[in-house]
Amino acid sequence: MRYLPLTESDRRSMLATIGAASVDDLFRDVPMAARHSGPIPELPGHMGELEVERLLGSMAARNLAAGSCPSFLGAGSYRHHVPSTVDYMIQRGEFLTAYTPYQPEISQGTLQVLFEFQTQVALLTGMDVANASMYDGATSCSEAVKMANRITRRKKAILSGGLHPHYRDVTTTDAAFTGFDAVTLPPDAFGGEDLAGMVDAQTSCVVVQYPSVFGRIYDYTELAKSCQAKGALLIVVVTEAVSLGLLTPPGDMGADIVAAEGQSFGNPLNFGGPYVGLFACKEKYVRQMPGRLCGQTVDADGKRGFVLTLSTREQHIRREKATSNICTNSGLCALAFSIHVSLLGEEGLAGLARLNHAKAVQLAEKLAGVKGVEVVNDAFFNEFTVKLPKPAAGVVETLAQRRILAGVPASRLFPGEHPDLLLVAATETNTDSDMDAFAQALAEVL
Amino acid sequence: MNNQGRPTAIPAPTSAAGDTVTGNRGLRIEEPLIFEQDSPGRCGVDLPALPDVGLRLGPVKPRGSIGLPGLSEPQVVRHYTRLSQKNYAIDAGLYPLGSCTMKHNPRLNEKMARLPGFADVHPLQPESTVQGALALMDELAHWLKALTGMPAVTLAPAAGAHGEMAGMMAIRAALEHRGEGARKRVLVPESAHGTNPATAAAIGYSVDPIPATAEGRVDLEALKAKLGPDVAAIMLTNPNTCGLFERDIIAIAEVVHAAGAFFYCDGANFNAIVGRVMPAELGIDAMHINLHKTFSTPHGGGGPGSGPVVFSAALAPFVPVPYVRKDGDRFVLVEREGEGGTAYGRMKAFHGQMGMFVRALSYMLSHGADGLWQASGDAVLNANYLMARLNDVMTAPFEGPCMHECLFDDRFLKGTGVSTLDIAKALIDEGFHPMTMYFPLVVHGALLIEPTETESKDALDQFVTALRALAERAKTGDAAWFQAAPRFTPRRRLDETAAARKPVLRWAPEPERLEAAE
Amino acid sequence: MTVKYTKDHEWVRIEGDVGTVGVTDFAQQQLGDVVFVELPEAGRELTLGGEAAVVESVKAASDVFAPVSGTVTESNGALVEEPSMVNSAAETDGWFFKLTLSSPSELDDLMDADAYKAYVEGLH
Ligand SMILES: Cc1ncc(COP(=O)(O)O)c(C=O)c1O
């Protein structure tokens, strides 16, 4: 077996040093009834690289790769172009095969990356501080609600109908088990929710998504003030982080916590994971944050260096009183995010965001020209909702047979609701001819 | 008061003699923050032309400047290359962090995860276009069930701690389903990893510690005394965090079940027993498996991981969504509670850590049943070999054989003025990543060493030589020398106290930074 | 003026019906460099043995328990600003909070300085 360095003679001499008769002898504390005498018969034997590649390659070939056809899916996961440098860098063994930076003297690489990542996230969201990442946007969202509950010592969260229903579900699952109230609103496809009017003295937080799952964008400045007046916090969720390159950041609107998905930068679609949860907040709440934090300090020679800090919030020290049970997070995805953002820089990020918006404006114009199709949103970033004269799920399936990934039917996210609505996203990866092919195919199947 | 924890004092600055003009030292190059390399107008990407269309942002204003630095691609490459060179990694050497299973990460797995048919697939594509991805999830589930003997598995959790959450939620859902929601106490050994009590507490359970025997295992009699009608579950790590197999585990499962409670097993240490011992035959109801430990998916400097949970028949109906179901020769993704009987909810935005699934399956296929058998045997052999070679110069709190990791305490340092931390830092200078320190908490000054099966005998022997020499040196009372270690690293000991007293958690341009400090 | 001690290493100094509470010098040595304290706000009712404050070093967090029952009248704002005072002046300027005692008889169960000294020596 190519990964196992011990030879039979190594094993014999090591057993002699130990004073054991056999490897089996080392398992003598295991009850006999549970011990197996040899490899599990129902599983195959070992394979060489070539055979593994063939087998997994054949499984991969049964999927339609989004990049092999015109693709307009979003709803929490976005196909962007990832510069080659990103994937090269994250495969350097020094990043890839390191553990959590528990020994700072030999982990300054990872630690400096985290410090830079935290800064980038804080700048993008317009917040004071950010942590070293969460599992994904949905778990960030739920952790943000729990943090708001701790800060306000209240137990009622109000979840906007513009929140991605999977984020909502992760939060309501948590609510059911950890014991808080999550008030959910119906899907906000057409706007008009009165969130401010619902905030009362029991409300710990209001959770909105920006842009919403339907692609709608609102200025939340007034909502932030209403929350503040009642002692509640405003949590802003962002699923398309590229939007932060163009839109007024949540921090400028008065958000207390921002919970976001960072996949758009540096990370492929990956059929939904691993992704990278971003988590940022106002400085005064930092001791209630979940997850790891990297901080700046000096070493014994007085040189600047970085360490994991404020760890007493975390499970390995605070145990049952920890702010969260999270341990392993999304380190390497955060690195990919950070490298991509570094390559873009100020100009590149603003340009990329502007380009995404322009592509979406073009697509909206093209689709509006298809008979029977109505673009629902006036304002959006790179994703919007269209109304079709037929059930969207069927249309999407038909177009998939023609190798066009047309978007996400609202009914996939909200079963039984809004069967005629389709969520459509455009990014810099979509060409004019992709969009024309989509509009034309749509016209044909409607 | 709690006197756990570890010393954090740093030695006084030493003379700067021998410093270079640049601060660089040969291959070790100082690297400023990316924000300190800004040159407005520079950019590391070239974007397609911007179509000439207007903005449709409605009430929202376009933002002003973001504050990001501008760098060209070669500068970015150099920045991250230099940073990478300040990290220790498995690729570079032995990384014997107990409880973390830092084994070799095969590059084949990276290649497989990057096949466009896996990496470039959107989670919400129509089912007909992702049959291969669903088949892969189903195949991984099959391996995990076959390797544990358990009838059900959820792939949704993103890491071990998330798996604990999934398992404990299943337990609570099952208890509520049979009208026993009043059970609110969870028994957790004091040696448990912090995530165990944190998870139990997060879902509203009170945590009650179970004492250990002098042999480092759960005290069965004490456990019996703690059981009662209000106990929901026991959370037990096996092999345990002292690196020992819980000999009484079957009896433990029996008394726990007899009391109407469930048995959650923390499977972080599954690597010791893969393919040799069936968790199902131990009476376990739920167990998470860290794919980023046992099944070699890279740890990436802190993640991502993946924490599937296997379930007994009693818990199988209580799983989170989504999961894959086979319908004839088609795979279906069940995404909602209603569709799946007693499924209890969602834990993650999408279907789990697909990229990690591909890597883990690639690892499993490469090993096969025979390779996995050999791997767990070698992991245990390597740990026992280290134990045997170090036992006379260090002090082990418990007698072996150990499983995949061996545990020492700091009695061998008593009276020397040298601490566990100092030994760890001196090991760094010798070119090794230290072992896990100060965990488990039940052992004073713990040093937990997990070599894994992917270390050669030569590598182990070099490590033994270094560690023995350090242990001998410590006994000569050379505390000052130890306290000055490490000396040859990019940074020497860091002032963690200063970092925590006045946290600086981000870079800020100078004036703003002054403000923040006020 | 009397000072009494608990087995959890808190001290309480009694002046009239007001008690001033802190952690002992032994406790601060065990903790190492203190980096953060969280103190109870004035008006909070504390019961004997209940959690009253938190003191943190880099690698440990400990609860400080109320040595006696009472109502908090004041907490040491200077300590929040300069937590290292727990290390430099544990039994003087590094006090945590003051409270008015609701059951002064609870003091009878606490140790005096000599008893506490003997207790700490017994811990080694
Ligand atoms: C014994 C044990 N349990 C649980 C965990 C948590 O796993 P994860 O970091 O994947 O969340 C760990 C990881 O360090 C562990 O060692």
Side-chain angles (χ1 to χ4, degrees):
Chain A
M1 210 289 128
R2 61 188 179 278
Y3 304 141
L4 301 178
L6 296 189
T7 63
E8 267 315 312
S9 87
D10 287 337
R11 291 185 185 109
R12 273 194 306 274
S13 88
M14 292 164 79
L15 283 167
T17 305
I18 296 164
S22 64
V23 169
D24 276 354
D25 192 26
L26 300 174
F27 284 83
R28 61 179 175 265
D29 286 331
V30 181
M32 220 37 209
R35 257 194 266 171
H36 283 236
S37 57
I40 297 172
E42 68 219 77
L43 294 173
H46 66 274
M47 286 182 192
E49 281 209 12
L50 188 58
E51 295 158 284
V52 174
E53 285 188 26
R54 241 180 234 142
L55 205 139
L56 292 178
S58 73
M59 280 182 168
R62 289 168 62 196
N63 300 317
L64 179 61
S68 66
C69 62
S71 168
F72 302 93
L73 293 109
S77 173
Y78 299 87
R79 186 169 190 280
H80 291 285
H81 178 257
V82 178
S84 325
T85 299
V86 174
D87 202 41
Y88 156 67
M89 275 298 162
I90 67 167
Q91 288 194 74
R92 283 189 71 97
E94 300 90 333
F95 286 131
L96 185 75
T97 75
Y99 199 73
T100 302
Y102 289 144
Q103 296 288 345
E105 300 89 344
I106 46 172
S107 312
Q108 285 298 305
T110 295
L111 285 162
Q112 185 169 332
V113 165
L114 292 179
F115 188 78
E116 293 176 354
F117 169 80
Q118 289 173 184
T119 306
Q120 289 169 334
V121 173
L123 289 170
L124 281 172
T125 55
M127 303 300 285
D128 299 330
V129 287
N131 78 6
S133 81
M134 306 300 287
Y135 303 135
D136 69 5
T139 60
S140 275
C141 170
S142 182
E143 290 276 7
V145 170
K146 289 186 278 189
M147 174 168 150
N149 293 345
R150 288 193 296 275
I151 291 168
T152 59
R153 299 208 175 95
R154 297 177 185 177
K155 288 190 154 196
K156 188 171 92 179
I158 298 172
L159 312 185
S160 155
L163 180 63
H164 195 299
H166 293 177
Y167 287 45
R168 178 200 65 198
D169 290 353
V170 171
T171 308
T172 55
T173 300
D174 250 349
F177 286 95
T178 63
F180 63 90
D181 299 325
V183 179
T184 59
L185 277 78
D188 181 49
F190 302 102
E193 264 181 359
D194 174 24
L195 292 164
M198 296 178 68
V199 183
D200 61 20
Q202 280 73 50
T203 308
S204 70
C205 60
V206 173
V207 185
V208 294
Q209 184 174 318
Y210 175 66
S212 85
V213 69
F214 294 99
R216 311 183 72 85
I217 45 179
Y218 300 104
D219 184 338
Y220 292 117
T221 310
E222 289 307 313
L223 180 59
K225 285 182 191 149
S226 305
C227 287
Q228 200 176 17
K230 295 267 170 54
L233 304 190
L234 178 65
I235 297 173
V236 177
V237 167
V238 179
T239 61
E240 168 53 297
V242 172
S243 69
L244 297 170
L246 177 62
L247 307 181
T248 301
D252 289 10
M253 296 179 175
D256 294 286
I257 307 175
V258 176
E261 174 54 67
Q263 172 267 332
S264 286
F265 292 111
N267 288 278
L269 296 171
N270 271 335
F271 197 46
Y275 287 177
V276 47
L278 313 181
F279 196 103
C281 68
K282 290 182 174 165
E283 174 125 45
K284 61 182 170 183
Y285 301 133
V286 71
R287 284 183 182 271
Q288 288 301 332
M289 274 179 120
R292 297 185 185 125
L293 284 166
C294 172
Q296 181 179 310
T297 186
V298 291
D299 79 348
D301 293 334
K303 291 184 183 160
R304 177 171 70 184
F306 304 92
V307 291
L308 292 179
T309 192
L310 302 185
S311 310
T312 47
R313 300 163 297 110
E314 293 182 74
Q315 46 75 28
H316 60 278
I317 292 177
R318 200 57 137 251
R319 298 174 79 83
E320 61 265 35
K321 289 183 182 162
T323 54
S324 164
N325 74 339
I326 191 170
C327 179
T328 292
N329 56 22
S330 295
L332 201 72
C333 303
L335 172 65
F337 174 105
S338 200
I339 299 172
H340 193 177
V341 171
S342 295
L343 284 163
L344 288 163
E346 181 79 21
E347 222 171 71
L349 181 50
L352 179 69
R354 187 75 182 76
L355 181 57
N356 270 258
H357 180 58
K359 291 281 183 185
V361 170
Q362 282 186 310
L363 181 63
E365 281 164 5
K366 287 189 206 275
L367 295 184
V370 176
K371 194 160 163 285
V373 176
E374 185 192 320
V375 175
V376 176
N377 326 32
D378 290 333
F380 51 81
F381 171 63
N382 69 349
E383 186 167 20
F384 53 88
T385 304
V386 293
K387 195 164 182 288
L388 305 180
K390 276 186 179 174
V395 172
V396 164
E397 189 60 49
T398 310
L399 291 181
Q401 300 310 316
R402 298 180 168 209
R403 294 177 65 88
I404 292 174
L405 293 170
V408 180
S411 61
R412 170 116 189 225
L413 299 172
F414 302 96
E417 302 200 56
H418 299 302
D420 53 349
L421 298 186
L422 179 66
L423 316 185
V424 188
T427 74
E428 76 285 358
T429 63
N430 296 117
T431 60
D432 287 352
S433 64
D434 283 351
M435 296 192 223
D436 291 335
F438 180 19
Q440 191 181 339
L442 191 58
E444 285 165 24
V445 303
L446 287 181
Chain B
M1 306 292 308
N2 164 350
N3 62 359
Q4 281 297 350
R6 54 170 146 126
T8 49
I10 59 164
T14 51
S15 112
D19 276 356
T20 55
V21 178
T22 51
N24 300 336
R25 290 178 173 228
L27 286 178
R28 236 165 55 207
I29 299 175
E30 290 293 311
E31 181 61 10
L33 291 170
I34 196 119
F35 303 96
E36 294 161 346
Q37 304 181 44
D38 177 28
S39 185
R42 270 200 216 119
C43 186
V45 297
D46 290 309
L47 294 170
L50 183 67
D52 184 20
V53 293
L55 293 177
R56 284 181 67 171
L57 298 180
V60 175
K61 288 189 197 58
R63 77 180 290 168
S65 92
I66 306 163
L68 293 171
L71 286 87
S72 63
E73 181 180 298
Q75 293 176 296
V76 172
V77 168
R78 206 165 269 174
H79 179 67
Y80 290 100
T81 302
R82 288 176 175 180
L83 290 186
S84 77
Q85 289 167 340
K86 300 179 199 300
N87 271 3
Y88 195 91
I90 307 172
D91 278 1
L94 186 72
Y95 212 126
L97 263 182
S99 208
C100 302
T101 314
M102 294 299 279
K103 60 170 72 178
H104 171 62
N105 300 152
R107 285 311 195 279
L108 171 65
N109 306 351
E110 296 304 307
K111 184 175 175 188
M112 293 299 95
R114 285 171 171 79
L115 292 173
F118 296 132
D120 196 19
V121 177
H122 191 285
L124 298 173
Q125 281 181 215
E127 239 163 47
S128 59
T129 67
V130 296
Q131 286 295 306
L134 299 178
L136 183 131
M137 290 170 72
D138 190 63
E139 183 66 14
L140 179 71
H142 168 71
W143 278 78
L144 292 172
K145 288 186 284 186
L147 289 171
T148 56
M150 305 283 271
V153 60
T154 173
L155 300 181
H162 208 214
E164 290 172 31
M165 195 69 105
M168 293 304 289
M169 284 180 173
I171 287 171
R172 208 178 116 176
L175 285 171
E176 280 169 5
H177 190 74
R178 66 180 198 215
E180 296 186 30
R183 290 176 178 265
K184 287 283 186 233
R185 194 152 53 93
V186 171
L187 306 180
V188 185
E190 280 167 338
S191 57
H193 193 259
T195 50
N196 293 186
T199 302
I203 66 168
Y205 286 142
S206 69
V207 176
D208 194 359
I210 334 172
T213 62
E215 296 180 337
R217 295 173 170 90
V218 166
D219 184 332
L220 185 57
E221 292 312 312
L223 167 64
K224 284 183 191 160
K226 292 250 178 190
L227 284 166
D230 62 330
V231 172
I234 181 174
M235 291 183 90
L236 190 66
T237 308
N238 186 56
N240 71 24
T241 58
C242 301
L244 303 171
F245 197 92
E246 291 285 350
R247 282 186 209 123
D248 291 332
I249 190 162
I250 294 179
I252 291 171
E254 277 166 13
V255 297
V256 165
H257 288 150
F262 284 100
F263 181 178
Y264 185 87
C265 181
D266 180 328
N269 294 337
F270 190 46
N271 198 48
I273 58 171
V274 179
R276 287 177 178 259
V277 181
M278 288 286 166
E281 288 159 20
L282 303 173
I284 289 163
D285 290 300
M287 180 179 96
H288 75 257
I289 296 168
N290 309 60
L291 298 185
H292 48 296
K293 298 183 178 182
T294 307
F295 296 106
S296 85
T297 75
H299 211 281
S306 177
V309 183
V310 289
F311 290 110
S312 64
L315 289 182
F318 305 96
V319 294
V321 288
Y323 54 86
V324 177
R325 199 179 59 209
K326 200 158 183 192
D327 226 2
D329 56 1
R330 282 179 51 79
F331 292 99
V332 182
L333 193 63
V334 180
E335 291 191 277
R336 256 169 207 90
E337 290 99 288
E339 304 164 39
T342 40
Y344 62 72
R346 176 179 281 276
M347 301 197 64
K348 207 170 172 296
F350 297 109
H351 327 310
Q353 306 282 66
M354 181 67 176
M356 302 295 119
F357 302 161
V358 180
R359 289 172 175 88
L361 186 61
S362 171
Y363 172 93
M364 291 170 176
L365 292 169
S366 292
H367 279 77
D370 52 334
L372 292 173
W373 166 270
Q374 189 67 62
S376 48
D378 285 356
V380 171
L381 179 62
N382 278 352
N384 278 283
Y385 179 70
L386 289 183
M387 174 82 126
R389 298 240 16 227
L390 294 167
N391 221 349
D392 58 327
V393 289
M394 294 167 68
T395 40
F398 309 117
E399 224 172 276
C402 62
M403 298 305 286
H404 63 306
E405 56 194 359
C406 57
L407 176 62
F408 295 95
D409 58 24
D410 62 0
R411 280 174 300 159
F412 74 104
L413 297 172
K414 205 171 169 126
T416 63
V418 178
S419 67
T420 292
L421 181 82
D422 299 329
I423 292 280
K425 298 304 182 192
L427 257 181
I428 290 176
D429 273 342
E430 298 293 340
F432 296 99
H433 195 284
M435 60 292 278
T436 291
M437 311 175 300
Y438 301 99
F439 175 81
L441 303 178
V442 290
V443 169
H444 201 270
L447 300 119
L448 185 64
I449 309 177
E450 180 180 6
T452 84
E453 72 280 8
T454 60
E455 291 305 327
S456 67
K457 180 168 176 296
D458 296 344
L460 299 182
D461 285 336
Q462 286 163 15
F463 178 68
V464 165
T465 304
L467 192 46
R468 288 186 68 92
L470 293 176
E472 303 283 10
R473 182 160 191 169
K475 287 172 192 169
T476 68
D478 207 350
W481 181 84
F482 276 95
Q483 281 152 13
R487 296 173 174 77
F488 309 122
T489 42
R491 285 292 179 271
R492 301 191 49 217
R493 284 196 209 191
L494 290 128
D495 190 343
E496 298 186 59
T497 303
R501 278 190 180 149
K502 295 258 181 287
V504 178
L505 304 175
R506 57 173 285 192
W507 171 87
E510 285 308 325
E512 207 178 306
R513 191 183 237 162
L514 290 177
E515 245 171 61
E518 270 159 23
Chain C
M1 184 184 81
T2 44
V3 184
K4 295 276 202 159
Y5 300 85
T6 71
K7 288 188 170 169
D8 294 319
H9 310 287
E10 292 96 11
W11 55 262
V12 51
R13 191 172 61 230
I14 308 300
E15 285 148 304
D17 65 345
V18 175
T20 304
V21 178
V23 302
T24 65
D25 201 52
F26 174 78
Q28 72 76 18
Q29 282 172 29
Q30 294 290 307
L31 275 165
D33 294 338
V34 170
V35 299
F36 178 71
V37 292
E38 191 182 304
L39 304 179
E41 62 277 25
R44 206 169 117 194
E45 303 280 343
L46 299 177
T47 48
L48 171 70
E51 290 168 15
V54 177
V55 54
E56 295 183 2
S57 65
V58 172
K59 300 291 174 193
S62 304
D63 292 315
V64 176
F65 304 106
V68 284
S69 307
T71 307
V72 176
T73 55
E74 186 187 347
S75 66
N76 187 356
L79 194 64
V80 174
E81 292 305 312
E82 210 51 73
S84 61
M85 279 203 298
V86 177
N87 297 114
S88 58
E91 303 194 15
T92 52
D93 291 346
W95 59 277
F96 279 49
F97 58 89
K98 294 180 197 270
L99 77 180
T100 46
L101 275 57
S102 55
S103 353
S105 65
E106 288 167 354
L107 290 169
D108 300 343
D109 295 332
L110 300 183
M111 290 175 274
D112 63 19
D114 288 342
Y116 178 70
K117 194 164 166 243
Y119 168 70
V120 167
E121 272 159 18
L123 293 179
H124 287 302

